[in-house]
Amino acid sequence: MLSRIAESLFWIGRHVERADGVARILDVHLERITQLPAAEQEAEVRRIMAVMGVAPEHGDYGVDSLIHELAWNRDSPTSISGSLHAARENARRARETVSSAMWEALNSTHYGLGGHRRDVVGTFRVCHWAIERMATVRGQIQMTMSHDESWLFLGLGAALERADMTSRLLWTRSTTATEGMSWVSILHCAGAYEAFLRTRYGTFSDESATQFLLLDRLFPRSILHALTTAEEILVQMEPGLQRVGFKDDARRIVGEARTALEFHHAEDLMAVLPGHLNNVQAACARASEAVGAKYFSHAVEDSWFGGIL
Amino acid sequence: MSDLFDHYAAEMAGAAAYDEMFTPEQRLRPAYEQIGQVLDGLSLGDVHARADSMARSFLDRGVTFDVAGEERPFPLDIVPRVIPAEEWAVIERGVVQRVRALECFLDDVHGDQRVVADGIVPRSLITSSAHFHRAVWGFRPAGGVRIHVAGIDVIRDQQGVFRVLEDNVRVPSGVSYVIENRRAMTKGLPEAFMSRSIRAVEAYPRHLYRALRATAPEAAEDPVVVVLTPGVFNSAYFEHALLAGLMGVELVEGRDLVVRGDRVYMRTTDGEQRVDVIYKRIDDEFLDPLHFRPDSVLGCSGLVNAARAGNVTIANAVGNGVADDKLTYSYVPDLIRYYLDEEPVLPNVDTYRLEEPEARAWVLEHLEELVVKPVDGSGGKGLVIGSTATAAELAELRAKVLADPRGWIAQPVLQLSTVPTFADGGFGPRHVDLRPFAVNSGDGVYVLPGGLTRVAMQKGSLIVNSSQGGGSKDTWVLGQPQTQDLDPGRVPPADVDGTVHTWPVSASWQDEGDTGQEQQQQQARAAGTGKGAPC
């Protein structure tokens, strides 16, 4: 397939996943922050923005600013609106490759966004709505597109983004020790609460919840699961090298990150958690670059819309 | 007729145009009986709701065109334009004839120019055409076809006669709306489809793909076809993506291509892949910076050389603009007689050549009664309708014509035929034209039944171009059963023993309240036939 289209698909995968992830994180955090006394709100907003890698436009760390940066700022690649817009724009450029059912789901989401109020109540609604819409988009991808190379690129983008998102989610807790979000909330953010209960029989501890989101082999949003998926896709893309060595940088980077987690002693995880999370995020960024260099390597400079992709 | 059309008769009475739906005595023409009955059963509110729903589905599906960076849905009117079978047969024959004659002409222009030697057209017609490119003179394109796709614009005059208004044999656009309009209409006005047979339009991409493959360079064993688009900001991007998608081929931009050793390749995740046929949707001038505009970033350097070397088919061929020239248009009836030894099936609109001194003098005296058009314009650009122009505009036009008589033609103002159109809260007569699409595979010309009917949404306006606020109508060609366009092999065979296959259900389903009884009956039937039991 065309390199340019492969690149678009990869980014559709990332942005769809990101819109979903940001919507979940914003939903849970917003609910908590709005219950805090005004004096404490700013510190929380600061912390979340830092974790999500955004800064307010006018140095204002209020709730409105958080809503704007994570939900409505179309020029930001981190906001729900920005991610949806970027995913839709990439799909528009790859329209003959993606299924029309998938394109329509993204396109009508793009138009639907304008019908929502942008206050706190409207933003809560948008979070839920975006999660539902992205489920539809992913359903259409699964069921109406051939699971061929184009699907692999979509899946690779999604897997790397998911590892990145879950690590950001864990960050929101790990930097404040016993303060901040409850584990119940964090698990809810990842859609993992019930899955966790069924796995651990309701025994809560920082360790068990962290372990679950970081290392569970069966839960789809755990970092280990996401990295394993990315690795499997990379192997499928280049099945030739089974015996010695790696020619594929992305596979090496993802594989290293996975093994560093998988073979670590789970008992002393909490002590080194921030380091682990940093590694995961760095690995996702480097793997993304390596995939780009290998598969999309041409004319990148004039191909991207609005500079936010 | 229902009260939806109460005002229609009054508005129609004042106009000189031929109405496609009603006779001058306000009777429904036979072709529209079905439409009339269906609309009869609707209230104004129903029509509003249906029109809104159609517009909404266009937006969701991305059936849009781009104006200054904004995606707009292409307005589709709820009343289709209907063409009876016998009228369509004439249009079809006329379009095929025109494509064949222009194909001969273009071949001649880029070769011996017999047509000049024999005194049919002046040499200056060719040499002074802005679209005559020496870079492509003197060779036959790989595959031997120059006009792969044509859009021949046709109008119906006051007397009800179909006339050709212009030929588009470079990059005619709009066929995607023909396909999408039909899809939208089957949902917007489903009742109207039920008893009439309307010829299907979905076969177009198959014909196009077949023609493109058939005209590939001979050396290509399994030809790779691509569609070349200027990119997402082009107003017709939707169409490019749709056609590529429906043909199952790659939609490439110039930067995806590279020419090496006079062969064309596209950059893929698997390295460079050979390309054999390029269905180009960009103007010649932007195609190859080596030969044309050096600043173009839309095309790819070396394409023309690759075509000259016979290694790639470019559809439509470079240089076809000579035939699109409106001055050439004025000679087409002569070209038909000269190359085909036939009389034209479809007449031209009367046309004055302003480079002829007598005609020019007469036209300059009668500007108020005429339409004056630039010969290389498209999309209605530069066109001046004398009766609605200001004195200043006419003075400016006069100066332009005198400065460059070759650059202009003049035609009488024609009252294009009208069709009832839903606008400003009711139905009114609006002017329409028609663009049938033809596909030429070298061994035959296929004409898509119907084509794009464009409609001027403004009352009284004759400008139907989408770039100037025009909309469109679904075009129905009546008469032949739809199955004619299907391959016989694709029709599923009738069920041999005629039994009903029921849905398998799990045992637990039967206990669930109100559906239980029906399920049990189905189970019983299933048991009786020995089919559809739970697995």
Side-chain angles (χ1 to χ4, degrees):
Chain A
M1 71 185 311
L2 289 174
S3 300
R4 178 174 54 84
I5 298 298
E7 186 166 16
S8 281
L9 292 169
F10 176 80
W11 283 105
I12 294 169
R14 285 206 75 148
H15 283 294
V16 166
E17 193 64 32
R18 189 174 304 172
D20 176 86
V22 172
R24 289 175 191 276
I25 290 174
L26 178 61
D27 181 45
V28 176
H29 284 80
L30 194 56
E31 187 181 322
R32 209 181 84 76
I33 287 173
T34 48
Q35 292 169 24
L36 291 176
E40 292 171 32
Q41 286 186 353
E42 186 182 319
E44 282 294 292
V45 169
R46 246 176 223 284
R47 204 163 56 75
I48 291 160
M49 281 197 180
V51 170
M52 300 304 286
V54 294
E57 275 174 7
H58 309 294
D60 166 28
Y61 284 91
V63 169
D64 287 347
S65 180
L66 179 73
I67 289 173
H68 177 71
E69 292 303 333
L70 290 188
W72 298 107
N73 185 355
R74 211 175 93 157
D75 298 327
S76 159
T78 307
S79 74
I80 297 170
S81 167
S83 305
L84 287 179
H85 182 61
R88 186 260 183 182
E89 199 58 28
N90 273 304
R92 191 154 86 94
R93 283 147 197 267
R95 218 160 131 171
E96 80 292 349
T97 308
V98 301
S99 71
S100 58
M102 182 272 218
W103 153 250
E104 216 175 313
L106 265 180
N107 192 41
S108 55
T109 305
H110 164 78
Y111 284 112
L113 200 59
H116 287 267
R117 294 174 61 91
R118 301 189 170 199
D119 54 12
V120 175
V121 175
T123 304
F124 275 125
R125 280 211 57 75
V126 151
C127 289
H128 286 264
W129 174 81
I131 292 166
E132 275 178 27
R133 293 303 302 171
M134 292 308 98
T136 303
V137 170
R138 285 184 289 207
Q140 297 289 15
I141 291 173
Q142 291 305 98
M143 300 313 291
T144 63
M145 287 181 65
S146 283
H147 289 198
D148 59 9
E149 199 186 0
S150 54
W151 182 78
L152 292 179
F153 276 107
L154 281 165
L156 181 61
L160 288 179
E161 185 67 28
R162 190 177 301 166
D164 187 75
M165 264 301 154
T166 304
S167 86
R168 284 170 194 270
L169 183 60
L170 286 174
W171 253 110
T172 62
R173 169 76 187 194
S174 71
T175 49
T176 47
T178 53
E179 302 268 310
M181 305 282 294
S182 74
W183 281 107
V184 177
S185 299
I186 297 255
L187 288 163
H188 271 304
C189 269
Y193 183 59
E194 280 122 10
F196 173 79
L197 291 182
R198 288 183 64 83
T199 312
R200 303 289 175 135
Y201 307 108
T203 54
F204 271 99
S205 69
D206 281 1
E207 283 81 7
S208 65
T210 309
Q211 265 184 25
F212 188 75
L213 286 179
L214 199 60
L215 298 176
D216 194 276
R217 286 201 182 87
L218 302 183
F219 184 69
R221 209 174 267 100
S222 84
I223 293 175
L224 187 68
H225 190 282
L227 289 177
T228 306
T229 305
E231 206 178 344
E232 283 166 0
I233 290 174
L234 287 164
V235 173
Q236 278 190 63
M237 281 178 173
E238 191 164 39
L241 283 169
Q242 291 301 334
R243 300 194 77 157
V244 177
F246 290 107
K247 254 203 292 193
D248 184 357
D249 284 339
R251 191 173 154 195
R252 183 179 50 74
I253 293 163
V254 173
E256 278 173 5
R258 176 185 59 79
T259 46
L261 290 179
E262 198 165 16
F263 299 110
H264 197 91
H265 280 291
E267 290 72 41
D268 38 82
L269 199 60
M270 293 312 285
V272 290
L273 184 59
H276 271 313
L277 298 178
N278 270 339
N279 284 347
V280 168
Q281 284 174 40
C284 289
R286 276 164 47 225
S288 198
E289 278 168 26
V291 169
K294 177 164 183 176
Y295 294 103
F296 319 144
S297 59
H298 80 281
V300 177
E301 69 282 355
D302 62 351
S303 55
W304 299 113
F305 133 88
I308 73 162
L309 299 180
Chain B
M1 258 342 277
S2 80
D3 50 2
L4 289 179
F5 286 88
D6 278 354
H7 300 289
Y8 196 80
E11 286 197 45
M12 218 185 94
Y18 178 97
D19 192 83
E20 300 277 347
M21 184 159 167
F22 294 100
T23 65
E25 299 79 36
Q26 316 297 337
R27 290 223 177 76
L28 271 177
R29 296 187 194 273
Y32 279 86
E33 273 166 13
Q34 175 76 11
I35 306 286
Q37 275 174 25
V38 171
L39 291 177
D40 229 7
L42 301 180
S43 69
L44 201 57
D46 294 336
V47 176
H48 256 302
R50 288 175 184 223
D52 284 350
S53 147
M54 277 158 55
R56 180 75 226 173
S57 84
F58 265 30
L59 205 57
D60 283 349
R61 291 176 51 76
V63 183
T64 54
F65 69 101
D66 214 272
V67 179
E70 187 196 344
E71 293 165 58
R72 293 192 198 160
F74 194 37
L76 168 62
D77 186 63
I78 194 164
V79 183
R81 188 243 187 97
V82 186
I83 304 176
E86 59 278 10
E87 286 183 3
W88 176 251
V90 176
I91 295 175
E92 191 174 28
R93 269 196 301 131
V95 167
V96 171
Q97 181 187 53
R98 226 158 152 108
V99 170
R100 283 169 57 222
L102 289 173
E103 180 79 38
C104 293
F105 172 69
L106 284 170
D107 223 31
D108 198 8
V109 163
H110 292 94
D112 303 338
Q113 304 194 348
R114 276 192 305 128
V115 70
V116 175
D118 290 342
I120 309 298
V121 302
R123 182 176 303 278
S124 64
L125 172 73
I126 296 164
T127 53
S128 65
S129 169
H131 303 293
F132 178 62
H133 301 303
R134 290 195 315 171
V136 293
W137 186 82
F139 78 101
R140 267 184 79 84
V145 171
R146 293 175 189 273
I147 304 173
H148 299 75
V149 178
I152 308 292
D153 287 354
V154 173
I155 54 113
R156 202 205 279 266
D157 68 13
Q158 287 98 317
Q159 284 72 45
V161 176
F162 282 105
R163 291 176 181 271
V164 174
L165 188 63
E166 64 182 54
D167 305 289
N168 298 286
V169 296
R170 278 178 290 173
V171 273
S173 62
V175 74
S176 54
Y177 300 114
V178 176
I179 296 167
E180 286 292 333
N181 283 355
R182 181 60 54 85
R183 184 201 278 264
M185 280 300 286
T186 53
K187 293 177 182 168
L189 204 64
E191 305 92 333
F193 284 87
M194 285 173 187
S195 69
R196 273 231 120 111
S197 61
I198 297 153
R199 291 187 63 187
V201 296
E202 86 277 348
Y204 182 83
R206 280 212 304 280
H207 285 275
L208 179 60
Y209 183 63
R210 197 181 76 81
L212 292 172
R213 270 184 74 103
T215 54
E218 264 179 42
E221 273 182 18
D222 185 13
V224 173
V225 177
V226 299
V227 177
L228 174 61
T229 175
V232 73
F233 296 112
N234 185 267
S235 60
Y237 178 75
F238 159 70
E239 172 150 314
H240 308 160
L242 183 85
L243 288 177
L246 289 177
M247 290 194 289
V249 305
E250 301 289 359
L251 178 65
V252 304
E253 296 179 13
R255 57 196 157 97
D256 297 321
L257 298 178
V258 58
V259 178
R260 193 162 291 136
D262 280 348
R263 292 174 204 282
V264 185
Y265 301 88
M266 58 180 166
R267 298 181 170 102
T268 75
T269 51
D270 212 16
E272 290 174 355
Q273 192 190 351
R274 180 84 183 266
V275 171
D276 303 295
V277 183
I278 299 174
Y279 179 38
K280 75 168 165 76
R281 297 297 307 247
I282 65 183
D283 288 339
D284 289 354
E285 286 74 15
F286 296 92
L287 189 61
D288 185 346
L290 222 53
H291 285 283
F292 306 115
R293 295 176 58 141
D295 59 334
S296 172
V297 293
L298 302 177
C300 168
S301 295
L303 278 186
V304 169
N305 287 355
R308 281 194 77 104
N311 289 329
V312 68
T313 300
I314 296 179
N316 290 346
V318 178
N320 276 14
V322 182
D324 270 10
D325 190 308
K326 293 196 176 66
L327 193 57
T328 303
Y329 158 86
S330 71
Y331 289 99
V332 172
D334 300 328
L335 298 178
I336 291 171
R337 294 183 191 100
Y338 174 69
Y339 288 113
L340 307 179
D341 198 19
E342 295 172 9
E343 276 304 304
V345 175
L346 295 172
N348 269 18
V349 174
D350 297 334
T351 303
Y352 301 95
R353 297 172 190 143
L354 297 184
E355 61 176 1
E356 295 172 0
E358 262 179 60
R360 184 168 64 240
W362 190 87
V363 165
L364 289 178
E365 274 173 37
H366 296 85
L367 279 183
E368 293 82 358
E369 303 155 30
L370 300 168
V371 183
V372 183
K373 300 175 177 176
V375 294
D376 58 354
S378 61
K381 271 188 275 223
L383 168 154
V384 179
I385 300 175
S387 55
T388 59
T390 63
E393 282 166 348
L394 288 181
E396 190 190 342
L397 175 66
R398 189 184 305 269
K400 281 185 187 164
V401 169
L402 286 170
D404 176 25
R406 163 68 173 91
W408 300 83
I409 57 157
Q411 292 170 339
V413 179
L414 288 171
Q415 287 299 320
L416 312 185
S417 61
T418 56
V419 182
T421 298
F422 190 65
D424 309 327
F427 285 102
R430 295 291 184 274
H431 295 291
V432 295
D433 76 351
L434 174 65
R435 174 175 290 179
F437 291 91
V439 174
N440 180 8
S441 61
D443 48 16
V445 178
Y446 162 82
V447 184
L448 175 70
L452 180 65
T453 293
R454 296 182 299 177
V455 54
M457 302 301 281
Q458 297 294 321
K459 188 174 174 182
S461 169
L462 294 166
I463 310 283
V464 296
N465 303 90
S466 55
S467 52
Q468 307 198 20
S472 75
K473 286 172 170 290
D474 193 13
T475 312
W476 293 2
V477 173
L478 301 180
Q480 278 163 305
Q482 273 182 294
T483 48
Q484 284 223 336
D485 280 329
L486 292 174
D487 301 336
R490 291 178 56 226
V491 180
D495 201 341
V496 186
D497 56 4
T499 48
V500 179
H501 297 252
T502 53
W503 215 242
V505 282
S506 72
S508 63
W509 250 73
Q510 292 177 39
D511 304 326
E512 288 183 16
D514 51 344
T515 58
Q517 198 179 358
E518 194 187 333
Q519 295 297 340
Q520 280 176 7
Q521 283 173 358
Q522 285 193 2
Q523 289 261 309
R525 281 202 299 273
T529 59
K531 287 180 182 176
C535 14

